[in-house]
Amino acid sequence: MKLFRYGEAGAERPGIVDDQGKLRDLSSVVTDIDAWALSPDGLATIAAADTASLPEIAGPVRYGVPVAHVPNLVCIGLNYTDHAEETNAPIPQEPILFNKHTAALCGANDPVWFPEDSTQLDWEVELAFVIGTPCWNVTEAEALNHVAGYTVLNDVSERHYQLHREGQWTKGKSHPGFAPCGPWIVTADEVGDPQELDLWLDLNGQRVQTGTTSRMIFTCAFLLSYLSRYMALQPGDIVTTGTPPGVGLGKVPPNFMKPGDVMRLGITRLGEQEQKVVPLTEDVVQAWRAAHAARRVGV
C-alpha cells in the first residue's frame, strides 16, 4: 500500500493510492496516518477497506509529511563507502548516529527555506524507514519485522552549521524545511528487499547523485538492530539511512545551493520529490508559527 497525508500544513488528511494509481481519501477508515495506522492492526484495517469506494481526491494535491506526530527522526551518517570517500571522511567501523529535529520535516514538494546566513546549503537523497511496532533490543534477523514501510527523505544540510559551528551535526540538519519526506509511505510488503533500491537526485535538471542501497555499508536490518541496543524505537519514528555520493560538499570545488535552485529526487518504487530553494522571510516564519499553533505534538 501507498499511504500519504494531503492538504494544507496543519490540516492534513489521510490518503491511499489505489490499484489504478488514483488518490483516495482514507478519512472514513483511519483518522490519520499515525502510529496506530502504521501498527499491524492499523495496516490490516486499511488493507481490508474497499479503496475503490473511497472518495477520489480531485485537483492538485499538496503532500504533507506522510507520518503524523513523528516522535523521533534518527539519522545515519556516511553510510555509503563512496560518499565517505568524496567527503574525505574515514569509513565508519560502526554506524554514525545523529538526530534531525522533527520540526525539520516537511512535505515532499514543499519549498526548502534558505536561512539568511547560509553559505553551504547541500542536498542528500536518502532511503528512510518508518517504525510500526515498538523496537528495543531486537536481533538483525527480526529487525525488519518492526518496519511498517519505507519513504524518500531529502536530508538537506547546511554544511557550515554542521561542520564549522562546533558541537554535533544536529544544528546543520534541523532547520525547518530541511527534511522533505514522502510523497508517501510504501508498506514493507510492497517494497521487498530494501537493499535493492536505486536512488537519484537532480539539481536544476542535472543528475548529481546516483546510487543504490546495495552499496550501503550497514544494511537497514543491521541499522535497526544496532539502534535498538541504544534506544527504544517507537511506532512512527523515522530512521533515514545515509546518502550515496554526489553531494555538493564532495564536488571539486564544493558546490552549494542558492535561492532559486530546484532539487528533484526519487527512489525505486517509493516515488519522487521536488523542492525549490526559497529565501527565508519573516512572513514565512509567521505563517509557519500559525500553521503549527494548533498542533499538539510533532508535525
Side-chain angles (χ1 to χ4, degrees), residues 2-8 12-18 21-27 33 51-64 183-184:
K2 295 183 177 69
L3 307 176
F4 60 91
R5 300 170 69 242
Y6 74 99
E8 295 183 7
E12 290 93 343
R13 297 164 63 90
I16 188 170
V17 182
D18 71 13
K22 295 179 179 179
L23 306 183
R24 303 281 184 173
D25 185 274
L26 260 182
S27 300
I33 306 301
T51 55
S53 68
L54 297 174
E56 187 174 351
I57 302 167
V61 169
R62 173 199 171 259
Y63 292 104
W184 38 62

PDB file of all heavy atoms in Angstrom, residues 2-8 12-18 21-27 33 51-64 183-184:
ATOM      1  N   LYS A   2       0.361   2.292  -0.629  1.00  0.00           N
ATOM      2  CA  LYS A   2       0.990   3.606  -0.598  1.00  0.00           C
ATOM      3  C   LYS A   2       0.082   4.527   0.212  1.00  0.00           C
ATOM      4  O   LYS A   2      -1.043   4.826  -0.188  1.00  0.00           O
ATOM      5  CB  LYS A   2       1.197   4.155  -2.008  1.00  0.00           C
ATOM      6  CG  LYS A   2       2.179   3.372  -2.862  1.00  0.00           C
ATOM      7  CD  LYS A   2       2.357   4.055  -4.219  1.00  0.00           C
ATOM      8  CE  LYS A   2       3.395   3.330  -5.074  1.00  0.00           C
ATOM      9  NZ  LYS A   2       2.898   1.996  -5.513  1.00  0.00           N
ATOM     10  N   LEU A   3       0.568   4.978   1.359  1.00  0.00           N
ATOM     11  CA  LEU A   3      -0.205   5.803   2.277  1.00  0.00           C
ATOM     12  C   LEU A   3       0.396   7.196   2.340  1.00  0.00           C
ATOM     13  O   LEU A   3       1.621   7.351   2.396  1.00  0.00           O
ATOM     14  CB  LEU A   3      -0.209   5.170   3.670  1.00  0.00           C
ATOM     15  CG  LEU A   3      -0.654   3.705   3.740  1.00  0.00           C
ATOM     16  CD1 LEU A   3      -0.506   3.177   5.159  1.00  0.00           C
ATOM     17  CD2 LEU A   3      -2.089   3.548   3.261  1.00  0.00           C
ATOM     18  N   PHE A   4      -0.469   8.204   2.346  1.00  0.00           N
ATOM     19  CA  PHE A   4       0.036   9.570   2.355  1.00  0.00           C
ATOM     20  C   PHE A   4      -0.882  10.465   3.174  1.00  0.00           C
ATOM     21  O   PHE A   4      -1.966  10.045   3.619  1.00  0.00           O
ATOM     22  CB  PHE A   4       0.178  10.107   0.920  1.00  0.00           C
ATOM     23  CG  PHE A   4      -1.114  10.151   0.134  1.00  0.00           C
ATOM     24  CD1 PHE A   4      -1.919  11.281   0.145  1.00  0.00           C
ATOM     25  CD2 PHE A   4      -1.524   9.057  -0.618  1.00  0.00           C
ATOM     26  CE1 PHE A   4      -3.106  11.320  -0.567  1.00  0.00           C
ATOM     27  CE2 PHE A   4      -2.711   9.089  -1.343  1.00  0.00           C
ATOM     28  CZ  PHE A   4      -3.513  10.229  -1.313  1.00  0.00           C
ATOM     29  N   ARG A   5      -0.460  11.691   3.377  1.00  0.00           N
ATOM     30  CA  ARG A   5      -1.268  12.720   4.024  1.00  0.00           C
ATOM     31  C   ARG A   5      -1.292  13.920   3.086  1.00  0.00           C
ATOM     32  O   ARG A   5      -0.269  14.266   2.505  1.00  0.00           O
ATOM     33  CB  ARG A   5      -0.693  13.085   5.390  1.00  0.00           C
ATOM     34  CG  ARG A   5      -0.646  11.891   6.341  1.00  0.00           C
ATOM     35  CD  ARG A   5       0.131  12.167   7.626  1.00  0.00           C
ATOM     36  NE  ARG A   5      -0.566  13.115   8.476  1.00  0.00           N
ATOM     37  CZ  ARG A   5      -0.082  14.295   8.827  1.00  0.00           C
ATOM     38  NH1 ARG A   5       1.110  14.695   8.376  1.00  0.00           N
ATOM     39  NH2 ARG A   5      -0.765  15.110   9.604  1.00  0.00           N
ATOM     40  N   TYR A   6      -2.442  14.546   2.962  1.00  0.00           N
ATOM     41  CA  TYR A   6      -2.565  15.621   1.986  1.00  0.00           C
ATOM     42  C   TYR A   6      -3.367  16.784   2.559  1.00  0.00           C
ATOM     43  O   TYR A   6      -4.130  16.628   3.514  1.00  0.00           O
ATOM     44  CB  TYR A   6      -3.220  15.103   0.702  1.00  0.00           C
ATOM     45  CG  TYR A   6      -4.714  14.855   0.815  1.00  0.00           C
ATOM     46  CD1 TYR A   6      -5.633  15.796   0.337  1.00  0.00           C
ATOM     47  CD2 TYR A   6      -5.205  13.686   1.398  1.00  0.00           C
ATOM     48  CE1 TYR A   6      -6.998  15.576   0.454  1.00  0.00           C
ATOM     49  CE2 TYR A   6      -6.567  13.462   1.508  1.00  0.00           C
ATOM     50  CZ  TYR A   6      -7.464  14.412   1.037  1.00  0.00           C
ATOM     51  OH  TYR A   6      -8.812  14.205   1.150  1.00  0.00           O
ATOM     52  N   GLY A   7      -3.180  17.958   1.951  1.00  0.00           N
ATOM     53  CA  GLY A   7      -3.904  19.150   2.373  1.00  0.00           C
ATOM     54  C   GLY A   7      -2.964  20.204   2.913  1.00  0.00           C
ATOM     55  O   GLY A   7      -1.741  20.053   2.913  1.00  0.00           O
ATOM     56  N   GLU A   8      -3.532  21.288   3.376  1.00  0.00           N
ATOM     57  CA  GLU A   8      -2.740  22.399   3.896  1.00  0.00           C
ATOM     58  C   GLU A   8      -1.970  21.972   5.140  1.00  0.00           C
ATOM     59  O   GLU A   8      -2.415  21.116   5.905  1.00  0.00           O
ATOM     60  CB  GLU A   8      -3.643  23.588   4.222  1.00  0.00           C
ATOM     61  CG  GLU A   8      -4.320  24.214   3.013  1.00  0.00           C
ATOM     62  CD  GLU A   8      -5.130  25.428   3.386  1.00  0.00           C
ATOM     63  OE1 GLU A   8      -5.061  25.856   4.563  1.00  0.00           O
ATOM     64  OE2 GLU A   8      -5.841  25.961   2.513  1.00  0.00           O
ATOM     65  N   GLU A  12      -3.758  18.283   7.440  1.00  0.00           N
ATOM     66  CA  GLU A  12      -3.653  17.166   6.504  1.00  0.00           C
ATOM     67  C   GLU A  12      -4.663  16.067   6.826  1.00  0.00           C
ATOM     68  O   GLU A  12      -5.047  15.868   7.977  1.00  0.00           O
ATOM     69  CB  GLU A  12      -2.239  16.575   6.526  1.00  0.00           C
ATOM     70  CG  GLU A  12      -1.170  17.475   5.926  1.00  0.00           C
ATOM     71  CD  GLU A  12      -0.483  18.354   6.944  1.00  0.00           C
ATOM     72  OE1 GLU A  12      -1.030  18.511   8.066  1.00  0.00           O
ATOM     73  OE2 GLU A  12       0.615  18.873   6.645  1.00  0.00           O
ATOM     74  N   ARG A  13      -5.065  15.350   5.781  1.00  0.00           N
ATOM     75  CA  ARG A  13      -5.978  14.221   5.878  1.00  0.00           C
ATOM     76  C   ARG A  13      -5.274  12.968   5.356  1.00  0.00           C
ATOM     77  O   ARG A  13      -4.347  13.069   4.549  1.00  0.00           O
ATOM     78  CB  ARG A  13      -7.243  14.482   5.052  1.00  0.00           C
ATOM     79  CG  ARG A  13      -8.058  15.663   5.530  1.00  0.00           C
ATOM     80  CD  ARG A  13      -9.068  16.107   4.472  1.00  0.00           C
ATOM     81  NE  ARG A  13     -10.054  15.073   4.195  1.00  0.00           N
ATOM     82  CZ  ARG A  13     -11.214  14.935   4.837  1.00  0.00           C
ATOM     83  NH1 ARG A  13     -11.535  15.786   5.802  1.00  0.00           N
ATOM     84  NH2 ARG A  13     -12.066  13.979   4.519  1.00  0.00           N
ATOM     85  N   PRO A  14      -5.707  11.784   5.803  1.00  0.00           N
ATOM     86  CA  PRO A  14      -5.060  10.553   5.341  1.00  0.00           C
ATOM     87  C   PRO A  14      -5.536  10.154   3.949  1.00  0.00           C
ATOM     88  O   PRO A  14      -6.701  10.370   3.579  1.00  0.00           O
ATOM     89  CB  PRO A  14      -5.492   9.519   6.382  1.00  0.00           C
ATOM     90  CG  PRO A  14      -6.827  10.014   6.856  1.00  0.00           C
ATOM     91  CD  PRO A  14      -6.732  11.517   6.833  1.00  0.00           C
ATOM     92  N   GLY A  15      -4.639   9.544   3.171  1.00  0.00           N
ATOM     93  CA  GLY A  15      -4.992   9.094   1.833  1.00  0.00           C
ATOM     94  C   GLY A  15      -4.281   7.809   1.470  1.00  0.00           C
ATOM     95  O   GLY A  15      -3.339   7.375   2.145  1.00  0.00           O
ATOM     96  N   ILE A  16      -4.741   7.194   0.382  1.00  0.00           N
ATOM     97  CA  ILE A  16      -4.151   5.962  -0.129  1.00  0.00           C
ATOM     98  C   ILE A  16      -4.173   6.007  -1.645  1.00  0.00           C
ATOM     99  O   ILE A  16      -5.069   6.604  -2.250  1.00  0.00           O
ATOM    100  CB  ILE A  16      -4.915   4.720   0.401  1.00  0.00           C
ATOM    101  CG1 ILE A  16      -4.200   3.427   0.033  1.00  0.00           C
ATOM    102  CG2 ILE A  16      -6.362   4.714  -0.087  1.00  0.00           C
ATOM    103  CD1 ILE A  16      -4.773   2.194   0.733  1.00  0.00           C
ATOM    104  N   VAL A  17      -3.171   5.401  -2.270  1.00  0.00           N
ATOM    105  CA  VAL A  17      -3.139   5.262  -3.721  1.00  0.00           C
ATOM    106  C   VAL A  17      -3.768   3.919  -4.063  1.00  0.00           C
ATOM    107  O   VAL A  17      -3.322   2.876  -3.565  1.00  0.00           O
ATOM    108  CB  VAL A  17      -1.695   5.329  -4.258  1.00  0.00           C
ATOM    109  CG1 VAL A  17      -1.693   5.230  -5.783  1.00  0.00           C
ATOM    110  CG2 VAL A  17      -1.014   6.621  -3.809  1.00  0.00           C
ATOM    111  N   ASP A  18      -4.831   3.927  -4.904  1.00  0.00           N
ATOM    112  CA  ASP A  18      -5.494   2.666  -5.205  1.00  0.00           C
ATOM    113  C   ASP A  18      -4.751   1.895  -6.297  1.00  0.00           C
ATOM    114  O   ASP A  18      -3.710   2.328  -6.798  1.00  0.00           O
ATOM    115  CB  ASP A  18      -6.969   2.880  -5.545  1.00  0.00           C
ATOM    116  CG  ASP A  18      -7.199   3.546  -6.909  1.00  0.00           C
ATOM    117  OD1 ASP A  18      -6.254   3.632  -7.725  1.00  0.00           O
ATOM    118  OD2 ASP A  18      -8.347   3.976  -7.163  1.00  0.00           O
ATOM    119  N   GLY A  21      -3.762   3.693  -9.387  1.00  0.00           N
ATOM    120  CA  GLY A  21      -2.949   4.884  -9.228  1.00  0.00           C
ATOM    121  C   GLY A  21      -3.733   6.124  -8.868  1.00  0.00           C
ATOM    122  O   GLY A  21      -3.170   7.227  -8.839  1.00  0.00           O
ATOM    123  N   LYS A  22      -5.024   5.986  -8.554  1.00  0.00           N
ATOM    124  CA  LYS A  22      -5.832   7.132  -8.160  1.00  0.00           C
ATOM    125  C   LYS A  22      -5.652   7.416  -6.671  1.00  0.00           C
ATOM    126  O   LYS A  22      -5.471   6.495  -5.864  1.00  0.00           O
ATOM    127  CB  LYS A  22      -7.304   6.877  -8.474  1.00  0.00           C
ATOM    128  CG  LYS A  22      -7.609   6.740  -9.954  1.00  0.00           C
ATOM    129  CD  LYS A  22      -9.080   6.463 -10.188  1.00  0.00           C
ATOM    130  CE  LYS A  22      -9.385   6.338 -11.683  1.00  0.00           C
ATOM    131  NZ  LYS A  22     -10.829   6.048 -11.924  1.00  0.00           N
ATOM    132  N   LEU A  23      -5.722   8.689  -6.310  1.00  0.00           N
ATOM    133  CA  LEU A  23      -5.590   9.094  -4.926  1.00  0.00           C
ATOM    134  C   LEU A  23      -6.963   9.058  -4.268  1.00  0.00           C
ATOM    135  O   LEU A  23      -7.932   9.648  -4.773  1.00  0.00           O
ATOM    136  CB  LEU A  23      -4.993  10.502  -4.833  1.00  0.00           C
ATOM    137  CG  LEU A  23      -3.680  10.742  -5.567  1.00  0.00           C
ATOM    138  CD1 LEU A  23      -3.188  12.168  -5.321  1.00  0.00           C
ATOM    139  CD2 LEU A  23      -2.618   9.734  -5.152  1.00  0.00           C
ATOM    140  N   ARG A  24      -7.069   8.373  -3.137  1.00  0.00           N
ATOM    141  CA  ARG A  24      -8.335   8.206  -2.429  1.00  0.00           C
ATOM    142  C   ARG A  24      -8.216   8.719  -0.994  1.00  0.00           C
ATOM    143  O   ARG A  24      -7.187   8.551  -0.339  1.00  0.00           O
ATOM    144  CB  ARG A  24      -8.731   6.731  -2.394  1.00  0.00           C
ATOM    145  CG  ARG A  24      -8.856   6.069  -3.754  1.00  0.00           C
ATOM    146  CD  ARG A  24     -10.153   6.397  -4.428  1.00  0.00           C
ATOM    147  NE  ARG A  24     -10.311   5.691  -5.696  1.00  0.00           N
ATOM    148  CZ  ARG A  24     -11.429   5.704  -6.414  1.00  0.00           C
ATOM    149  NH1 ARG A  24     -12.489   6.376  -5.973  1.00  0.00           N
ATOM    150  NH2 ARG A  24     -11.502   5.049  -7.568  1.00  0.00           N
ATOM    151  N   ASP A  25      -9.295   9.329  -0.505  1.00  0.00           N
ATOM    152  CA  ASP A  25      -9.327   9.818   0.869  1.00  0.00           C
ATOM    153  C   ASP A  25      -9.624   8.665   1.827  1.00  0.00           C
ATOM    154  O   ASP A  25     -10.567   7.895   1.610  1.00  0.00           O
ATOM    155  CB  ASP A  25     -10.388  10.907   1.016  1.00  0.00           C
ATOM    156  CG  ASP A  25     -10.381  11.531   2.395  1.00  0.00           C
ATOM    157  OD1 ASP A  25     -11.037  10.976   3.306  1.00  0.00           O
ATOM    158  OD2 ASP A  25      -9.715  12.555   2.582  1.00  0.00           O
ATOM    159  N   LEU A  26      -8.799   8.558   2.900  1.00  0.00           N
ATOM    160  CA  LEU A  26      -8.913   7.450   3.860  1.00  0.00           C
ATOM    161  C   LEU A  26      -9.597   7.856   5.160  1.00  0.00           C
ATOM    162  O   LEU A  26      -9.593   7.087   6.128  1.00  0.00           O
ATOM    163  CB  LEU A  26      -7.525   6.914   4.196  1.00  0.00           C
ATOM    164  CG  LEU A  26      -6.993   5.646   3.528  1.00  0.00           C
ATOM    165  CD1 LEU A  26      -5.619   5.314   4.075  1.00  0.00           C
ATOM    166  CD2 LEU A  26      -7.932   4.459   3.709  1.00  0.00           C
ATOM    167  N   SER A  27     -10.167   9.056   5.212  1.00  0.00           N
ATOM    168  CA  SER A  27     -10.670   9.589   6.481  1.00  0.00           C
ATOM    169  C   SER A  27     -11.767   8.742   7.094  1.00  0.00           C
ATOM    170  O   SER A  27     -11.966   8.766   8.319  1.00  0.00           O
ATOM    171  CB  SER A  27     -11.183  11.016   6.281  1.00  0.00           C
ATOM    172  OG  SER A  27     -10.157  11.864   5.819  1.00  0.00           O
ATOM    173  N   ILE A  33      -2.627   9.074   9.287  1.00  0.00           N
ATOM    174  CA  ILE A  33      -1.535   8.103   9.124  1.00  0.00           C
ATOM    175  C   ILE A  33      -0.580   8.343  10.294  1.00  0.00           C
ATOM    176  O   ILE A  33       0.370   9.125  10.214  1.00  0.00           O
ATOM    177  CB  ILE A  33      -0.817   8.270   7.773  1.00  0.00           C
ATOM    178  CG1 ILE A  33      -1.818   8.211   6.619  1.00  0.00           C
ATOM    179  CG2 ILE A  33       0.246   7.176   7.615  1.00  0.00           C
ATOM    180  CD1 ILE A  33      -2.625   6.929   6.538  1.00  0.00           C
ATOM    181  N   THR A  51     -10.985   0.226  -1.294  1.00  0.00           N
ATOM    182  CA  THR A  51     -10.437   1.520  -1.713  1.00  0.00           C
ATOM    183  C   THR A  51     -11.179   2.103  -2.906  1.00  0.00           C
ATOM    184  O   THR A  51     -11.282   3.325  -3.039  1.00  0.00           O
ATOM    185  CB  THR A  51      -8.935   1.392  -2.044  1.00  0.00           C
ATOM    186  OG1 THR A  51      -8.744   0.357  -3.016  1.00  0.00           O
ATOM    187  CG2 THR A  51      -8.136   1.060  -0.797  1.00  0.00           C
ATOM    188  N   ALA A  52     -11.729   1.234  -3.754  1.00  0.00           N
ATOM    189  CA  ALA A  52     -12.436   1.742  -4.930  1.00  0.00           C
ATOM    190  C   ALA A  52     -13.682   2.528  -4.560  1.00  0.00           C
ATOM    191  O   ALA A  52     -14.163   3.351  -5.352  1.00  0.00           O
ATOM    192  CB  ALA A  52     -12.793   0.594  -5.860  1.00  0.00           C
ATOM    193  N   SER A  53     -14.204   2.301  -3.362  1.00  0.00           N
ATOM    194  CA  SER A  53     -15.405   3.006  -2.930  1.00  0.00           C
ATOM    195  C   SER A  53     -15.094   4.295  -2.172  1.00  0.00           C
ATOM    196  O   SER A  53     -16.010   5.069  -1.843  1.00  0.00           O
ATOM    197  CB  SER A  53     -16.260   2.095  -2.038  1.00  0.00           C
ATOM    198  OG  SER A  53     -15.601   1.852  -0.804  1.00  0.00           O
ATOM    199  N   LEU A  54     -13.816   4.534  -1.896  1.00  0.00           N
ATOM    200  CA  LEU A  54     -13.437   5.745  -1.152  1.00  0.00           C
ATOM    201  C   LEU A  54     -13.460   6.959  -2.071  1.00  0.00           C
ATOM    202  O   LEU A  54     -13.239   6.844  -3.279  1.00  0.00           O
ATOM    203  CB  LEU A  54     -12.038   5.562  -0.550  1.00  0.00           C
ATOM    204  CG  LEU A  54     -11.884   4.437   0.473  1.00  0.00           C
ATOM    205  CD1 LEU A  54     -10.423   4.290   0.875  1.00  0.00           C
ATOM    206  CD2 LEU A  54     -12.757   4.685   1.700  1.00  0.00           C
ATOM    207  N   PRO A  55     -13.697   8.157  -1.511  1.00  0.00           N
ATOM    208  CA  PRO A  55     -13.751   9.363  -2.343  1.00  0.00           C
ATOM    209  C   PRO A  55     -12.426   9.608  -3.061  1.00  0.00           C
ATOM    210  O   PRO A  55     -11.354   9.536  -2.455  1.00  0.00           O
ATOM    211  CB  PRO A  55     -14.039  10.474  -1.332  1.00  0.00           C
ATOM    212  CG  PRO A  55     -14.621   9.789  -0.140  1.00  0.00           C
ATOM    213  CD  PRO A  55     -13.986   8.442  -0.089  1.00  0.00           C
ATOM    214  N   GLU A  56     -12.518   9.887  -4.362  1.00  0.00           N
ATOM    215  CA  GLU A  56     -11.318  10.239  -5.113  1.00  0.00           C
ATOM    216  C   GLU A  56     -10.947  11.683  -4.816  1.00  0.00           C
ATOM    217  O   GLU A  56     -11.816  12.552  -4.705  1.00  0.00           O
ATOM    218  CB  GLU A  56     -11.555  10.044  -6.606  1.00  0.00           C
ATOM    219  CG  GLU A  56     -10.296  10.236  -7.439  1.00  0.00           C
ATOM    220  CD  GLU A  56     -10.503   9.904  -8.916  1.00  0.00           C
ATOM    221  OE1 GLU A  56     -11.573   9.370  -9.265  1.00  0.00           O
ATOM    222  OE2 GLU A  56      -9.575  10.182  -9.702  1.00  0.00           O
ATOM    223  N   ILE A  57      -9.656  11.912  -4.680  1.00  0.00           N
ATOM    224  CA  ILE A  57      -9.167  13.252  -4.392  1.00  0.00           C
ATOM    225  C   ILE A  57      -8.958  13.979  -5.713  1.00  0.00           C
ATOM    226  O   ILE A  57      -8.196  13.526  -6.572  1.00  0.00           O
ATOM    227  CB  ILE A  57      -7.855  13.200  -3.588  1.00  0.00           C
ATOM    228  CG1 ILE A  57      -8.062  12.434  -2.290  1.00  0.00           C
ATOM    229  CG2 ILE A  57      -7.328  14.601  -3.306  1.00  0.00           C
ATOM    230  CD1 ILE A  57      -6.779  12.059  -1.572  1.00  0.00           C
ATOM    231  N   ALA A  58      -9.634  15.085  -5.868  1.00  0.00           N
ATOM    232  CA  ALA A  58      -9.589  15.815  -7.130  1.00  0.00           C
ATOM    233  C   ALA A  58      -8.612  16.981  -7.041  1.00  0.00           C
ATOM    234  O   ALA A  58      -8.357  17.524  -5.965  1.00  0.00           O
ATOM    235  CB  ALA A  58     -10.979  16.338  -7.480  1.00  0.00           C
ATOM    236  N   GLY A  59      -8.074  17.342  -8.213  1.00  0.00           N
ATOM    237  CA  GLY A  59      -7.254  18.538  -8.307  1.00  0.00           C
ATOM    238  C   GLY A  59      -5.841  18.343  -7.808  1.00  0.00           C
ATOM    239  O   GLY A  59      -5.470  17.269  -7.323  1.00  0.00           O
ATOM    240  N   PRO A  60      -5.016  19.386  -7.909  1.00  0.00           N
ATOM    241  CA  PRO A  60      -3.637  19.310  -7.412  1.00  0.00           C
ATOM    242  C   PRO A  60      -3.616  19.007  -5.915  1.00  0.00           C
ATOM    243  O   PRO A  60      -4.463  19.487  -5.163  1.00  0.00           O
ATOM    244  CB  PRO A  60      -3.081  20.712  -7.705  1.00  0.00           C
ATOM    245  CG  PRO A  60      -3.983  21.273  -8.755  1.00  0.00           C
ATOM    246  CD  PRO A  60      -5.334  20.693  -8.503  1.00  0.00           C
ATOM    247  N   VAL A  61      -2.669  18.216  -5.505  1.00  0.00           N
ATOM    248  CA  VAL A  61      -2.579  17.781  -4.114  1.00  0.00           C
ATOM    249  C   VAL A  61      -1.262  18.250  -3.518  1.00  0.00           C
ATOM    250  O   VAL A  61      -0.203  18.080  -4.123  1.00  0.00           O
ATOM    251  CB  VAL A  61      -2.679  16.240  -4.022  1.00  0.00           C
ATOM    252  CG1 VAL A  61      -2.316  15.745  -2.632  1.00  0.00           C
ATOM    253  CG2 VAL A  61      -4.084  15.783  -4.396  1.00  0.00           C
ATOM    254  N   ARG A  62      -1.344  18.841  -2.332  1.00  0.00           N
ATOM    255  CA  ARG A  62      -0.123  19.066  -1.558  1.00  0.00           C
ATOM    256  C   ARG A  62       0.062  17.862  -0.639  1.00  0.00           C
ATOM    257  O   ARG A  62      -0.805  17.535   0.162  1.00  0.00           O
ATOM    258  CB  ARG A  62      -0.210  20.325  -0.695  1.00  0.00           C
ATOM    259  CG  ARG A  62       1.024  20.448   0.230  1.00  0.00           C
ATOM    260  CD  ARG A  62       0.859  21.363   1.406  1.00  0.00           C
ATOM    261  NE  ARG A  62       1.999  21.222   2.303  1.00  0.00           N
ATOM    262  CZ  ARG A  62       2.003  20.517   3.436  1.00  0.00           C
ATOM    263  NH1 ARG A  62       0.906  19.882   3.827  1.00  0.00           N
ATOM    264  NH2 ARG A  62       3.099  20.428   4.176  1.00  0.00           N
ATOM    265  N   TYR A  63       1.208  17.177  -0.779  1.00  0.00           N
ATOM    266  CA  TYR A  63       1.526  16.058   0.101  1.00  0.00           C
ATOM    267  C   TYR A  63       2.180  16.599   1.371  1.00  0.00           C
ATOM    268  O   TYR A  63       3.168  17.343   1.316  1.00  0.00           O
ATOM    269  CB  TYR A  63       2.484  15.092  -0.582  1.00  0.00           C
ATOM    270  CG  TYR A  63       1.882  14.347  -1.750  1.00  0.00           C
ATOM    271  CD1 TYR A  63       2.193  14.699  -3.055  1.00  0.00           C
ATOM    272  CD2 TYR A  63       0.992  13.300  -1.534  1.00  0.00           C
ATOM    273  CE1 TYR A  63       1.640  14.013  -4.129  1.00  0.00           C
ATOM    274  CE2 TYR A  63       0.432  12.614  -2.600  1.00  0.00           C
ATOM    275  CZ  TYR A  63       0.760  12.979  -3.893  1.00  0.00           C
ATOM    276  OH  TYR A  63       0.202  12.302  -4.948  1.00  0.00           O
ATOM    277  N   GLY A  64       1.631  16.216   2.517  1.00  0.00           N
ATOM    278  CA  GLY A  64       2.259  16.560   3.782  1.00  0.00           C
ATOM    279  C   GLY A  64       3.261  15.503   4.189  1.00  0.00           C
ATOM    280  O   GLY A  64       3.501  14.524   3.469  1.00  0.00           O
ATOM    281  N   PRO A 183       6.671  11.246  -1.239  1.00  0.00           N
ATOM    282  CA  PRO A 183       5.303  11.712  -1.002  1.00  0.00           C
ATOM    283  C   PRO A 183       4.438  10.769  -0.172  1.00  0.00           C
ATOM    284  O   PRO A 183       3.409  11.185   0.345  1.00  0.00           O
ATOM    285  CB  PRO A 183       4.738  11.834  -2.428  1.00  0.00           C
ATOM    286  CG  PRO A 183       5.511  10.814  -3.210  1.00  0.00           C
ATOM    287  CD  PRO A 183       6.895  10.828  -2.635  1.00  0.00           C
ATOM    288  N   TRP A 184       4.846   9.502  -0.070  1.00  0.00           N
ATOM    289  CA  TRP A 184       4.036   8.549   0.673  1.00  0.00           C
ATOM    290  C   TRP A 184       4.938   7.538   1.352  1.00  0.00           C
ATOM    291  O   TRP A 184       6.154   7.499   1.143  1.00  0.00           O
ATOM    292  CB  TRP A 184       3.050   7.825  -0.246  1.00  0.00           C
ATOM    293  CG  TRP A 184       3.587   7.482  -1.607  1.00  0.00           C
ATOM    294  CD1 TRP A 184       4.637   6.661  -1.916  1.00  0.00           C
ATOM    295  CD2 TRP A 184       3.122   7.998  -2.864  1.00  0.00           C
ATOM    296  NE1 TRP A 184       4.841   6.623  -3.271  1.00  0.00           N
ATOM    297  CE2 TRP A 184       3.922   7.427  -3.888  1.00  0.00           C
ATOM    298  CE3 TRP A 184       2.081   8.864  -3.240  1.00  0.00           C
ATOM    299  CZ2 TRP A 184       3.725   7.715  -5.238  1.00  0.00           C
ATOM    300  CZ3 TRP A 184       1.889   9.145  -4.580  1.00  0.00           C
ATOM    301  CH2 TRP A 184       2.709   8.569  -5.560  1.00  0.00           C
TER     302      TRP A 184
END
